[in-house]
Coordinates of all heavy atoms in Angstrom, one line a residue:
M18 N 87.5 100.3 113.3 CA 88.9 100.5 113.7 C 89.6 99.1 113.7 O 89.0 98.2 114.2 CB 89.0 101.1 115.0 CG 90.4 101.3 115.5 SD 90.6 101.9 117.2 CE 90.0 103.5 117.1
S19 N 90.7 99.0 113.1 CA 91.4 97.7 113.1 C 92.5 97.7 114.2 O 93.0 98.7 114.6 CB 92.1 97.4 111.7 OG 93.1 98.4 111.5
K20 N 92.7 96.5 114.7 CA 93.7 96.3 115.8 C 95.0 95.7 115.2 O 95.0 94.8 114.4 CB 93.1 95.4 116.8 CG 93.9 95.2 118.0 CD 93.3 94.2 119.0 CE 94.2 93.9 120.1 NZ 93.7 92.9 121.0
I21 N 96.1 96.3 115.6 CA 97.4 95.8 115.2 C 98.0 95.1 116.3 O 98.1 95.6 117.5 CB 98.3 97.0 114.7 CG1 97.7 97.8 113.6 CG2 99.7 96.5 114.3 CD1 98.4 99.0 113.2
T22 N 98.6 93.9 116.1 CA 99.2 93.1 117.1 C 100.7 93.2 116.8 O 101.2 93.0 115.7 CB 98.8 91.7 117.0 OG1 97.4 91.6 117.2 CG2 99.4 90.9 118.1
F23 N 101.5 93.5 117.9 CA 102.9 93.5 117.8 C 103.5 92.4 118.6 O 103.0 92.1 119.7 CB 103.5 94.9 118.3 CG 103.1 96.0 117.5 CD1 102.0 96.8 117.8 CD2 103.8 96.3 116.3 CE1 101.7 97.9 117.0 CE2 103.5 97.4 115.5 CZ 102.4 98.2 115.9
P24 N 104.7 91.9 118.2 CA 105.4 90.9 119.0 C 105.8 91.5 120.4 O 106.0 92.8 120.4 CB 106.7 90.6 118.2 CG 106.3 90.9 116.8 CD 105.4 92.1 116.9
S25 N 105.8 90.7 121.4 CA 106.1 91.3 122.7 C 107.6 91.5 123.0 O 108.0 92.1 123.9 CB 105.6 90.3 123.8 OG 106.1 89.0 123.6
K26 N 108.4 90.9 122.1 CA 109.9 91.1 122.3 C 110.5 91.6 121.0 O 110.0 91.4 119.9 CB 110.5 89.8 122.7 CG 110.0 89.3 124.0 CD 110.7 87.9 124.4 CE 110.1 87.4 125.7 NZ 111.0 87.6 126.8
A27 N 111.7 92.2 121.2 CA 112.4 92.8 120.0 C 113.9 92.6 120.1 O 114.4 92.6 121.2 CB 112.0 94.2 119.8
I28 N 114.5 92.4 119.0 CA 116.0 92.3 119.0 C 116.4 93.4 118.0 O 116.0 93.5 116.9 CB 116.5 91.0 118.5 CG1 116.0 89.8 119.4 CG2 118.0 91.0 118.4 CD1 116.4 88.4 118.9
F29 N 117.3 94.3 118.5 CA 117.8 95.4 117.7 C 119.3 95.1 117.3 O 120.1 94.9 118.2 CB 117.8 96.7 118.4 CG 116.4 97.2 118.7 CD1 115.7 96.7 119.8 CD2 115.8 98.1 117.9 CE1 114.4 97.1 120.0 CE2 114.5 98.5 118.1 CZ 113.8 98.0 119.2
M30 N 119.5 95.0 116.1 CA 120.9 94.7 115.6 C 121.5 95.9 115.0 O 120.9 96.5 114.1 CB 120.9 93.6 114.6 CG 120.4 92.2 115.2 SD 120.5 90.9 114.0 CE 119.5 91.4 112.7
C31 N 122.6 96.3 115.5 CA 123.3 97.5 114.9 C 123.7 97.2 113.5 O 124.2 96.2 113.2 CB 124.5 97.9 115.8 SG 125.3 99.3 115.1
N32 N 123.4 98.2 112.7 CA 123.7 98.0 111.2 C 124.7 99.1 110.8 O 124.8 99.5 109.7 CB 122.4 98.1 110.4 CG 122.6 97.5 109.0 OD1 123.4 96.5 108.9 ND2 122.0 98.1 108.0
G33 N 125.5 99.7 111.8 CA 126.4 100.7 111.5 C 127.6 100.1 110.8 O 127.7 98.9 110.5
S34 N 128.6 101.0 110.5 CA 129.7 100.5 109.6 C 130.6 99.5 110.3 O 131.1 98.6 109.6 CB 130.6 101.7 109.2 OG 131.1 102.3 110.4
K35 N 130.7 99.5 111.6 CA 131.5 98.5 112.3 C 130.7 97.2 112.5 O 131.2 96.1 112.2 CB 132.1 99.0 113.6 CG 133.0 100.2 113.5 CD 134.3 99.8 113.0 CE 135.2 101.0 113.0 NZ 136.4 100.8 112.2
C36 N 129.6 97.3 113.1 CA 128.8 96.2 113.5 C 128.2 95.5 112.2 O 128.1 94.3 112.2 CB 127.6 96.6 114.3 SG 128.1 97.2 115.9
G37 N 127.9 96.3 111.2 CA 127.3 95.7 110.0 C 128.2 94.7 109.3 O 127.8 93.9 108.4
K38 N 129.5 94.7 109.6 CA 130.5 93.8 109.0 C 130.3 92.4 109.5 O 130.7 91.4 108.8 CB 131.9 94.2 109.2 CG 132.3 95.5 108.6 CD 133.7 95.9 108.9 CE 134.1 97.2 108.3 NZ 135.4 97.7 108.8
H39 N 129.6 92.2 110.6 CA 129.5 90.9 111.3 C 128.2 90.3 110.8 O 127.2 90.1 111.5 CB 129.5 91.1 112.8 CG 130.8 91.6 113.3 ND1 131.8 90.7 113.7 CD2 131.2 92.8 113.5 CE1 132.8 91.5 114.1 NE2 132.5 92.7 114.0
K40 N 128.2 90.0 109.5 CA 126.9 89.5 108.9 C 126.5 88.1 109.4 O 125.4 87.7 109.4 CB 127.1 89.4 107.4 CG 127.4 90.8 106.8 CD 127.3 90.8 105.3 CE 127.6 92.1 104.6 NZ 127.0 93.3 105.2
E41 N 127.5 87.3 109.9 CA 127.2 86.0 110.4 C 126.2 86.1 111.6 O 125.4 85.2 111.8 CB 128.5 85.2 110.8 CG 129.2 85.6 112.1 CD 129.9 86.9 112.0 OE1 130.0 87.5 110.9 OE2 130.4 87.3 113.1
V42 N 126.4 87.1 112.5 CA 125.5 87.2 113.6 C 124.1 87.6 113.2 O 123.1 87.0 113.7 CB 126.1 88.3 114.6 CG1 125.1 88.5 115.8 CG2 127.4 87.8 115.2
K43 N 124.0 88.5 112.3 CA 122.7 89.0 111.8 C 122.0 87.8 111.1 O 120.8 87.5 111.4 CB 122.8 90.1 110.8 CG 123.3 91.4 111.5 CD 123.0 92.6 110.6 CE 124.0 92.7 109.4 NZ 123.9 93.9 108.7
K44 N 122.7 87.1 110.3 CA 122.1 86.0 109.6 C 121.6 84.9 110.5 O 120.6 84.3 110.4 CB 123.1 85.4 108.6 CG 122.6 84.3 107.7 CD 123.7 83.9 106.7 CE 123.2 82.7 105.9 NZ 124.2 82.2 105.0
Y45 N 122.5 84.6 111.5 CA 122.1 83.6 112.5 C 120.9 83.9 113.3 O 120.0 83.1 113.5 CB 123.3 83.3 113.4 CG 123.0 82.3 114.4 CD1 123.0 80.9 114.1 CD2 122.7 82.6 115.8 CE1 122.7 80.0 115.0 CE2 122.3 81.6 116.7 CZ 122.4 80.3 116.3 OH 122.0 79.3 117.2
I46 N 120.8 85.2 113.8 CA 119.7 85.6 114.6 C 118.4 85.4 113.8 O 117.4 84.9 114.3 CB 119.8 87.0 115.1 CG1 120.9 87.1 116.2 CG2 118.5 87.6 115.6 CD1 121.3 88.5 116.6
K47 N 118.4 85.9 112.6 CA 117.2 85.8 111.7 C 116.8 84.3 111.5 O 115.6 84.0 111.6 CB 117.4 86.5 110.4 CG 117.4 88.0 110.5 CD 117.7 88.6 109.1 CE 117.8 90.1 109.2 NZ 118.1 90.7 107.9
Q48 N 117.8 83.5 111.2 CA 117.6 82.1 110.9 C 117.0 81.4 112.2 O 116.1 80.6 112.1 CB 118.9 81.4 110.5 CG 118.7 80.0 110.1 CD 120.0 79.4 109.6 OE1 121.0 80.1 109.4 NE2 120.1 78.1 109.6
L49 N 117.7 81.6 113.3 CA 117.3 80.9 114.6 C 115.9 81.4 115.0 O 115.1 80.5 115.4 CB 118.3 81.2 115.7 CG 118.0 80.6 117.0 CD1 118.0 79.0 116.9 CD2 118.9 81.0 118.1
N50 N 115.6 82.6 114.8 CA 114.2 83.1 115.2 C 113.2 82.5 114.3 O 112.1 82.1 114.8 CB 114.2 84.6 115.0 CG 113.0 85.3 115.7 OD1 112.5 84.8 116.7 ND2 112.5 86.4 115.2
K51 N 113.5 82.3 113.1 CA 112.5 81.6 112.2 C 112.4 80.1 112.5 O 111.3 79.6 112.7 CB 113.0 81.8 110.7 CG 111.9 81.5 109.7 CD 112.4 81.9 108.4 CE 111.3 81.7 107.4 NZ 111.7 82.2 106.0
E52 N 113.5 79.5 112.7 CA 113.5 78.0 112.9 C 112.9 77.7 114.3 O 112.3 76.6 114.4 CB 115.0 77.5 112.8 CG 115.5 77.4 111.4 CD 116.9 77.0 111.3 OE1 117.5 76.7 112.4 OE2 117.5 76.9 110.2
S53 N 113.1 78.5 115.2 CA 112.6 78.3 116.6 C 111.1 78.6 116.7 O 110.5 78.3 117.7 CB 113.3 79.2 117.6 OG 114.7 79.0 117.6
G54 N 110.5 79.1 115.6 CA 109.1 79.4 115.6 C 108.8 80.6 116.5 O 107.6 80.8 117.0
T55 N 109.8 81.4 116.8 CA 109.6 82.6 117.7 C 109.4 83.9 116.9 O 109.3 84.9 117.4 CB 110.8 82.8 118.7 OG1 112.0 82.8 117.9 CG2 110.8 81.7 119.7
D56 N 109.3 83.8 115.6 CA 109.3 85.0 114.7 C 107.9 85.7 114.9 O 107.9 86.9 114.5 CB 109.6 84.7 113.3 CG 108.8 83.6 112.7 OD1 108.2 82.8 113.4 OD2 108.7 83.5 111.4
D57 N 106.9 85.1 115.5 CA 105.7 85.8 115.8 C 105.8 86.5 117.2 O 104.9 87.3 117.5 CB 104.5 84.9 115.7 CG 104.5 83.7 116.7 OD1 105.7 83.3 117.1 OD2 103.5 83.2 117.0
K58 N 106.8 86.1 117.9 CA 106.9 86.7 119.3 C 108.1 87.7 119.4 O 108.1 88.5 120.2 CB 107.2 85.6 120.3 CG 106.1 84.6 120.4 CD 106.4 83.5 121.4 CE 105.4 82.4 121.3 NZ 105.9 81.1 121.0
I59 N 109.1 87.5 118.5 CA 110.3 88.4 118.5 C 110.4 89.0 117.2 O 110.5 88.4 116.1 CB 111.5 87.6 118.8 CG1 111.4 86.8 120.1 CG2 112.7 88.5 118.9 CD1 112.6 85.8 120.4
E60 N 110.4 90.4 117.2 CA 110.6 91.1 115.9 C 112.1 91.6 115.9 O 112.6 92.0 116.9 CB 109.6 92.3 115.8 CG 109.7 92.9 114.5 CD 108.4 93.8 114.2 OE1 107.5 93.8 115.0 OE2 108.4 94.4 113.1
I61 N 112.6 91.6 114.7 CA 114.0 92.0 114.6 C 114.1 93.3 113.8 O 113.5 93.5 112.8 CB 114.8 90.9 113.8 CG1 114.8 89.6 114.6 CG2 116.3 91.3 113.6 CD1 115.3 88.4 113.9
F62 N 114.9 94.2 114.4 CA 115.0 95.5 113.8 C 116.5 95.8 113.6 O 117.4 95.4 114.3 CB 114.5 96.6 114.8 CG 113.0 96.5 115.0 CD1 112.6 95.8 116.1 CD2 112.1 97.2 114.2 CE1 111.2 95.8 116.4 CE2 110.8 97.1 114.5 CZ 110.3 96.4 115.6
K63 N 116.8 96.6 112.6 CA 118.1 97.2 112.4 C 118.2 98.5 113.1 O 117.2 99.2 113.1 CB 118.4 97.4 110.9 CG 118.6 96.1 110.1 CD 118.9 96.5 108.7 CE 118.9 95.3 107.8 NZ 119.0 95.7 106.4
M64 N 119.3 98.8 113.7 CA 119.4 100.1 114.3 C 120.7 100.8 113.8 O 121.6 100.1 113.4 CB 119.4 100.1 115.9 CG 120.5 99.3 116.5 SD 120.3 99.4 118.3 CE 121.9 98.6 118.8
E65 N 120.7 102.1 114.0 CA 121.9 102.8 113.5 C 123.0 102.7 114.6 O 122.7 102.3 115.8 CB 121.5 104.2 113.2 CG 120.6 104.2 112.0 CD 120.4 105.6 111.4 OE1 121.2 106.5 111.7 OE2 119.5 105.7 110.6
C66 N 124.2 103.2 114.3 CA 125.3 103.2 115.2 C 124.9 103.8 116.5 O 124.3 104.9 116.6 CB 126.5 103.9 114.6 SG 127.9 104.0 115.7
S67 N 125.2 103.2 117.7 CA 124.9 103.7 119.0 C 126.2 104.1 119.7 O 126.2 104.2 120.9 CB 124.2 102.7 119.8 OG 124.9 101.5 119.9
D68 N 127.2 104.4 119.0 CA 128.5 104.9 119.5 C 129.2 103.9 120.4 O 129.8 104.3 121.4 CB 128.4 106.2 120.2 CG 128.3 107.4 119.2 OD1 128.8 107.2 118.1 OD2 127.8 108.4 119.6
R69 N 129.0 102.6 120.2 CA 129.6 101.6 120.9 C 130.5 100.7 120.0 O 130.6 99.5 120.2 CB 128.6 100.7 121.7 CG 127.8 101.5 122.7 CD 126.7 100.7 123.2 NE 126.0 101.3 124.4 CZ 125.0 102.2 124.2 NH1 124.6 102.5 123.0 NH2 124.5 102.7 125.3
C70 N 131.0 101.4 119.0 CA 131.7 100.6 117.9 C 132.9 99.8 118.4 O 133.1 98.8 117.8 CB 132.2 101.6 116.9 SG 130.9 102.7 116.3
K71 N 133.5 100.2 119.5 CA 134.6 99.3 120.0 C 134.2 98.0 120.4 O 135.0 97.0 120.5 CB 135.3 100.0 121.1 CG 136.2 101.2 120.7 CD 136.8 101.8 122.0 CE 137.6 103.1 121.5 NZ 138.2 103.8 122.7
S72 N 132.9 97.8 120.7 CA 132.3 96.6 121.1 C 131.5 95.9 120.0 O 130.7 95.0 120.3 CB 131.4 96.8 122.3 OG 132.1 97.5 123.4
A73 N 131.8 96.2 118.8 CA 131.0 95.6 117.7 C 131.2 94.1 117.7 O 132.3 93.6 117.9 CB 131.5 96.2 116.4
P74 N 130.2 93.4 117.3 CA 128.8 93.8 117.0 C 127.9 94.0 118.2 O 128.0 93.2 119.1 CB 128.3 92.7 116.0 CG 129.0 91.5 116.5 CD 130.3 91.9 117.0
I75 N 127.1 94.9 118.2 CA 126.2 95.2 119.3 C 124.8 94.6 118.9 O 124.3 94.8 117.8 CB 126.0 96.7 119.5 CG1 127.3 97.4 119.9 CG2 124.9 97.1 120.4 CD1 127.7 97.0 121.3
V76 N 124.2 93.9 119.9 CA 122.9 93.4 119.7 C 122.1 93.7 121.0 O 122.6 93.5 122.1 CB 122.9 91.9 119.5 CG1 121.4 91.3 119.3 CG2 123.7 91.5 118.3
Y77 N 120.9 94.2 120.9 CA 120.1 94.7 122.0 C 118.8 94.0 122.1 O 118.1 93.9 121.1 CB 120.0 96.3 121.8 CG 119.1 97.0 122.7 CD1 119.2 96.9 124.1 CD2 118.1 97.9 122.2 CE1 118.4 97.6 125.0 CE2 117.3 98.6 123.1 CZ 117.5 98.5 124.5 OH 116.7 99.2 125.3
F78 N 118.5 93.5 123.2 CA 117.2 92.7 123.4 C 116.3 93.5 124.3 O 116.6 94.0 125.4 CB 117.5 91.4 124.1 CG 118.3 90.4 123.3 CD1 119.7 90.6 123.1 CD2 117.7 89.3 122.7 CE1 120.4 89.7 122.3 CE2 118.4 88.5 121.9 CZ 119.7 88.6 121.7
Q79 N 115.0 93.6 123.9 CA 114.0 94.3 124.6 C 112.8 93.3 124.8 O 112.6 92.5 123.9 CB 113.5 95.5 123.9 CG 114.3 96.7 124.1 CD 114.1 97.2 125.6 OE1 113.6 96.6 126.5 NE2 114.6 98.4 125.8
P80 N 112.1 93.3 125.9 CA 112.1 94.2 127.0 C 113.1 93.9 128.1 O 113.1 94.6 129.1 CB 110.7 94.1 127.5 CG 110.3 92.7 127.3 CD 111.0 92.3 126.0
E81 N 114.0 93.0 127.9 CA 114.9 92.6 128.9 C 116.0 93.7 129.1 O 116.7 93.7 130.1 CB 115.6 91.3 128.6 CG 114.7 90.1 128.6 CD 113.9 89.9 127.3 OE1 114.1 90.7 126.4 OE2 113.1 89.0 127.2
N82 N 116.2 94.6 128.2 CA 117.2 95.6 128.2 C 118.6 95.0 128.4 O 119.4 95.5 129.2 CB 116.9 96.6 129.4 CG 117.7 97.9 129.2 OD1 118.0 98.3 128.1 ND2 118.0 98.5 130.4
V83 N 118.8 94.0 127.6 CA 120.1 93.4 127.6 C 120.9 93.8 126.3 O 120.4 93.7 125.2 CB 120.0 91.8 127.5 CG1 121.4 91.2 127.4 CG2 119.3 91.3 128.8
W84 N 122.1 94.4 126.6 CA 123.0 94.8 125.5 C 124.1 93.8 125.4 O 124.8 93.6 126.4 CB 123.6 96.2 125.7 CG 122.6 97.3 125.6 CD1 121.7 97.7 126.6 CD2 122.4 98.2 124.5 NE1 121.0 98.8 126.1 CE2 121.4 99.1 124.8 CE3 123.1 98.3 123.3 CZ2 121.0 100.1 124.0 CZ3 122.7 99.3 122.4 CH2 121.6 100.2 122.8
L85 N 124.3 93.2 124.3 CA 125.4 92.3 124.1 C 126.5 93.1 123.3 O 126.2 93.7 122.3 CB 125.1 91.1 123.2 CG 124.1 90.1 123.8 CD1 123.9 88.9 122.8 CD2 124.5 89.6 125.2
E86 N 127.7 93.0 123.9 CA 128.8 93.6 123.1 C 129.7 92.4 122.6 O 129.7 91.4 123.2 CB 129.7 94.5 124.0 CG 130.3 93.8 125.2 CD 131.1 94.8 126.0 OE1 131.1 96.0 125.8 OE2 131.8 94.3 126.9
K87 N 130.3 92.7 121.5 CA 131.1 91.6 120.8 C 130.2 90.3 120.7 O 130.7 89.2 121.0 CB 132.4 91.4 121.5 CG 133.3 92.6 121.5 CD 134.6 92.4 122.0 CE 135.3 93.8 121.9 NZ 136.6 93.8 122.4
A88 N 129.0 90.6 120.3 CA 128.0 89.5 120.2 C 128.5 88.4 119.3 O 129.0 88.7 118.2 CB 126.7 90.0 119.8
D89 N 128.3 87.2 119.7 CA 128.6 86.1 118.8 C 127.4 85.1 118.7 O 126.4 85.4 119.4 CB 129.9 85.3 119.2 CG 129.8 84.7 120.5 OD1 128.7 84.4 121.0 OD2 130.8 84.4 121.1
V90 N 127.5 84.1 117.9 CA 126.4 83.3 117.6 C 125.9 82.6 118.9 O 124.7 82.5 119.2 CB 126.8 82.2 116.6 CG1 125.8 81.1 116.5 CG2 126.9 82.9 115.2
A91 N 126.8 82.1 119.8 CA 126.5 81.4 121.0 C 125.7 82.3 122.0 O 124.8 81.9 122.6 CB 127.8 80.8 121.6
M92 N 126.2 83.5 122.1 CA 125.5 84.5 123.0 C 124.1 84.7 122.6 O 123.2 84.8 123.4 CB 126.3 85.8 123.1 CG 127.7 85.7 123.6 SD 128.7 87.1 123.2 CE 128.2 88.3 124.4
C93 N 123.9 84.9 121.3 CA 122.6 85.2 120.8 C 121.7 84.0 120.9 O 120.5 84.2 121.3 CB 122.7 85.7 119.3 SG 123.6 87.2 119.1
K94 N 122.2 82.9 120.7 CA 121.4 81.6 120.8 C 120.9 81.5 122.2 O 119.7 81.2 122.4 CB 122.3 80.4 120.4 CG 121.5 79.1 120.4 CD 122.4 78.0 120.0 CE 121.5 76.7 119.9 NZ 122.2 75.5 120.0
E95 N 121.8 81.7 123.2 CA 121.4 81.5 124.6 C 120.2 82.5 124.9 O 119.3 82.1 125.6 CB 122.6 81.8 125.4 CG 122.3 81.5 126.9 CD 123.5 81.8 127.8 OE1 124.7 81.7 127.3 OE2 123.3 82.2 128.9
L96 N 120.3 83.7 124.5 CA 119.3 84.7 124.8 C 118.0 84.4 124.1 O 116.9 84.5 124.7 CB 119.7 86.1 124.5 CG 120.5 86.7 125.7 CD1 121.1 88.0 125.3 CD2 119.6 86.9 126.9
I97 N 118.0 84.0 122.8 CA 116.8 83.8 122.1 C 116.1 82.5 122.7 O 114.9 82.5 122.8 CB 117.1 83.6 120.6 CG1 117.5 84.9 120.0 CG2 115.9 83.0 119.9 CD1 118.0 84.8 118.6
E98 N 116.8 81.5 123.1 CA 116.2 80.3 123.6 C 115.6 80.5 125.0 O 114.7 79.8 125.4 CB 117.3 79.2 123.6 CG 117.6 78.7 122.2 CD 118.6 77.6 122.2 OE1 119.3 77.4 123.2 OE2 118.8 77.0 121.1
K99 N 116.1 81.5 125.7 CA 115.5 81.8 127.0 C 114.1 82.4 126.8 O 113.2 82.5 127.4 CB 116.3 82.9 127.8 CG 117.5 82.3 128.5 CD 118.2 83.3 129.3 CE 119.5 82.8 129.9 NZ 120.3 83.8 130.6
Ligands
FES10 S1 128.6 100.5 114.2 FE1 127.6 99.5 115.8 S2 127.9 100.7 117.5 FE2 128.8 101.8 115.9

């Protein structure tokens, strides 16, 4: 039996029609995660619309259970660095 190791943290980025337009946030999160060397600890997922479109873009951090609304680069940077 083989053992699979998963990162202990995850970032879910909404990829719905409203949030998906904010490509700068998605690009920044992926780039920062890689440059920070945290890509083995934090896995990034796309998620479908969560009906919070008025607050686009939505980014969700687990296991902290932190939902960012109107997420921008600075907000994401602060959370990833923590
Ligand atoms: S498109 Fe992101 S919450 Fe609807």
